[in-house]
């Protein structure tokens, strides 16, 4: 049994896209947060979401301005899926971001994403549900498209390697399993 934890989700503000229609990989998100992918109709994004006509619009990166566990998990995940991100930004509760505007707390990031057309950010999924934000599907380690929900979190927790952590806690980023959500905080086993 696992204690309920709050998982992270990429959120976007694009009128053309309904919640869950956007598909993003960790590598594409890393390139966005590195400032390498700067428009929503970049071929790397269009290839992932061929059924949506994406606008020729600048991507507005929104990230945390304060130190946080949310930033640690976001950067931990992006460092696992992109060596370039790991080398340029790394992981931590605070990092030296190359691009973007900072919001204070999940509330600040959520508010900025909702206000800025073309924005992308990351928040705890509870804020996505509370405020009905537009979220993206993600491709997990097994190459499957997953949505953020309790089942994909449970899958990540169930597929974690618990023997190396004395079975007490684990950082659940980039876990294997066809239904595993890729970005989660460390979970504690009960």
């Amino acid at each position: 049994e696992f204690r309920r934890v709050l998982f992270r989700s990429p959120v976007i503000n694009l009128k053309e896209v309904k919640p869950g229609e956007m598909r993003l990989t960790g590598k594409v998100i890393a390139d966005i947060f590195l400032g390498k992918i700067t428009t929503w109709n970049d071929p790397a994004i269009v290839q992932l979401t061929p059924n949506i006509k994406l606008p020729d619009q600048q991507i507005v990166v929104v990230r945390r301005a304060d130190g946080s566990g949310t930033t640690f998990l976001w950067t931990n995940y992006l460092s696992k899926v992109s060596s370039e991100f790991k080398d340029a930004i790394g992981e931590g509760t605070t990092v030296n971001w190359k691009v973007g505007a900072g919001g204070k707390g999940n509330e600040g990031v959520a508010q900025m994403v909702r206000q800025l057309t073309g924005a992308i950010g990351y928040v705890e999924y509870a804020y996505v549900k509370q405020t009905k934000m537009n979220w993206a599907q993600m491709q997990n380690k097994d190459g499957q498209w997953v949505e953020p929900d309790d089942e994909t979190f449970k899958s990540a927790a169930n597929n974690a390697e618990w023997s190396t952590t004395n079975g007490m806690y684990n950082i659940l980023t980039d876990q294997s399993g066809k239904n595993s959500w890729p970005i989660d905080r460390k979970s504690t086993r009960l």
Side-chain angles (χ1 to χ4, degrees):
E1 183 73 26
F2 298 97
R3 181 177 62 172
R4 181 175 164 81
V5 298
L6 300 174
F7 39 104
R8 281 44 178 187
S9 177
V11 289
I12 59 173
N13 181 352
L14 285 175
K15 290 181 261 179
E16 298 84 355
V17 180
K18 294 178 184 142
E21 280 188 328
M22 176 69 70
R23 288 182 161 189
L24 297 170
T25 64
K27 175 75 170 103
V28 165
I29 293 171
D31 285 349
I32 290 170
F33 278 76
L34 284 168
K36 291 178 61 180
I37 294 177
T38 59
T39 60
W40 283 108
N41 66 345
D42 186 282
I45 301 173
V46 170
Q47 177 182 335
L48 299 174
T49 54
N51 297 330
I52 301 169
K53 180 161 176 40
L54 296 170
D56 182 12
Q57 181 175 11
Q58 286 295 118
I59 297 173
V60 180
V61 173
V62 181
R63 34 85 178 161
R64 291 284 292 261
D66 54 331
S68 72
T70 299
T71 294
F72 169 76
L73 289 166
W74 188 254
T75 58
N76 173 273
Y77 169 70
L78 294 179
S79 291
K80 285 180 178 178
V81 298
S82 168
S83 58
E84 186 175 357
F85 186 92
K86 183 177 183 175
D87 292 344
I89 296 176
E91 66 181 70
T93 57
T94 59
V95 294
N96 185 18
W97 294 105
K98 305 298 181 203
V99 297
K104 186 167 183 184
N106 283 293
E107 304 89 357
V109 171
Q111 181 179 12
M112 288 181 75
V113 169
R114 281 193 310 270
Q115 291 176 347
L116 300 171
T117 302
I120 184 171
Y122 58 95
V123 296
E124 289 182 0
Y125 189 65
Y127 287 93
V128 176
K129 287 175 75 173
Q130 276 178 349
T131 61
K132 298 180 177 29
M133 293 185 77
N134 191 343
W135 51 272
Q137 292 183 48
M138 290 193 63
Q139 188 175 51
N140 66 17
K141 188 173 189 169
D142 288 6
Q144 300 298 308
W145 293 105
V146 291
E147 298 180 2
D149 61 31
D150 286 339
E151 292 308 310
T152 56
F153 159 70
K154 287 176 190 172
S155 179
N158 287 330
N159 286 299
E161 178 57 52
W162 292 97
S163 63
T164 60
T165 62
N166 295 323
M168 296 303 293
Y169 68 90
N170 208 333
I171 296 173
L172 303 176
T173 55
D174 203 29
Q175 292 297 314
S176 62
K178 73 176 193 168
N179 295 319
S180 295
W181 183 251
I183 310 169
D184 208 330
R185 73 175 178 189
K186 63 184 177 183
S187 178
T188 303
R189 257 190 146 160
L190 298 176

